[in-house]
Amino acid sequence: MKEKEAKSLVKMFKALAHPNRFRLFLEIVQESEKAFEEGHDCFANAIMDKLNVGAPTISHHLKELVNADLISTERKGKFLTCRVNPDAMARLNVFFSRT
Amino acid sequence: MKEKEAKSLVKMFKALAHPNRFRLFLEIVQESEKAFEEGHDCFANAIMDKLNVGAPTISHHLKELVNADLISTERKGKFLTCRVNPDAMARLNVFFSRT
DNA sequence: TCGATAGTTTGACGAATGTCGAATTGATAA
DNA sequence: TTATCAATTCGACATTCGTCAAACTATCGA
């Protein structure tokens, strides 16, 4: 494995390595599926209510997930929408399939 | 996903979330394959030389990998042998396949 | 325009983490 | 037994990290 890919994977692991941030990620995955089926977006707002941490913390954690390339966000008016990055998932999948 | 499984995954991610520890894990994976083909064990000793950290640090990192259930170790005389835990790999594989 | 709502930035603080040197244990070889 | 080598434990240190309160920005509705 290339050094660059290893570094990228480590960043993803670090992003998933905290209970609250992992739960946040799981919620986004779940909510994304539901949102897709129902034809709307996944709003950060809806997820924030489910976790027991303040808004600044959520904002901070979201930034780390984005920074690790696990998700991407887009501002829609007053709200923030989230999408899981399929490419990242694919790379993680490959890594653990070959290990 | 059950809370218990989530906790276990987070522990694995945390164990893989540091560059040196991830490299250590990669070396064990690699060395394990080679060792299997050549009919011997994977010795911690052989791996230690490849990383630029002291023995106490390696010992510490190995313990975390074991604690996360990613590997198991066995003392053979003066040396320590390592084996990747296939069950852990399978669970990680499942997680990223379904995500 | 004004007030309310969603999210971000900043600064601070305690907790957890990675690393090392020194001392220690366990096992082999001489 | 003694010397040597592999690995662990302990104590300390600097660094990173998670969280929050307060202040701020941006957008929408009235």
Side-chain angles (χ1 to χ4, degrees):
Chain A
M1 170 177 335
K2 298 271 174 41
E3 174 64 22
K4 192 175 160 189
E5 173 70 359
K7 210 178 249 183
S8 169
L9 286 177
V10 166
K11 217 172 186 179
M12 294 188 199
F13 294 142
K14 197 187 283 192
L16 298 175
H18 189 271
N20 287 343
R21 207 157 46 221
F22 183 60
R23 268 190 64 202
L24 176 59
F25 176 73
L26 283 185
E27 294 288 353
I28 292 174
V29 169
Q30 234 173 276
E31 187 66 20
S32 286
E33 279 176 19
K34 199 178 113 195
F36 177 74
E37 285 168 11
E38 298 176 1
H40 54 82
D41 283 326
C42 166
F43 291 101
N45 183 20
I47 291 171
M48 187 145 28
D49 298 336
K50 299 186 181 179
L51 301 185
N52 226 359
V53 287
T57 305
I58 295 282
S59 183
H60 167 68
H61 284 330
L62 277 178
K63 218 189 305 181
E64 290 214 26
L65 291 176
V66 169
N67 201 251
D69 232 8
L70 286 167
I71 66 168
S72 61
T73 59
E74 188 184 349
R75 185 139 210 158
K76 294 211 172 169
K78 194 160 56 157
F79 301 96
L80 195 72
T81 66
C82 309
R83 277 176 33 240
V84 176
N85 180 6
D87 192 58
M89 292 303 106
R91 276 164 50 217
L92 286 164
N93 191 14
V94 165
F95 177 73
F96 288 112
S97 300
R98 304 196 179 266
T99 304
Chain B
M1 169 180 334
K2 298 271 174 40
E3 175 63 23
K4 192 175 163 190
E5 173 71 359
K7 210 178 246 182
S8 170
L9 287 176
V10 165
K11 216 172 186 179
M12 294 187 198
F13 294 141
K14 197 188 282 191
L16 298 174
H18 189 271
N20 287 344
R21 206 157 48 220
F22 182 59
R23 268 190 64 204
L24 176 59
F25 176 72
L26 283 185
E27 293 289 353
I28 293 174
V29 169
Q30 235 172 276
E31 187 66 21
S32 286
E33 280 176 18
K34 199 177 112 193
F36 176 74
E37 285 167 10
E38 297 176 2
H40 54 81
D41 283 326
C42 166
F43 291 102
N45 184 19
I47 291 172
M48 188 144 28
D49 298 336
K50 297 187 182 179
L51 301 186
N52 226 1
V53 287
T57 304
I58 294 282
S59 184
H60 167 68
H61 284 330
L62 277 178
K63 216 189 304 180
E64 290 215 26
L65 290 177
V66 169
N67 202 251
D69 233 7
L70 285 166
I71 66 168
S72 61
T73 60
E74 189 184 350
R75 185 140 211 158
K76 294 214 171 168
K78 193 160 57 158
F79 302 95
L80 194 72
T81 65
C82 308
R83 278 174 35 238
V84 176
N85 180 6
D87 192 58
M89 293 302 105
R91 275 165 49 219
L92 285 164
N93 191 15
V94 165
F95 177 72
F96 287 112
S97 299
R98 305 196 178 264
T99 304

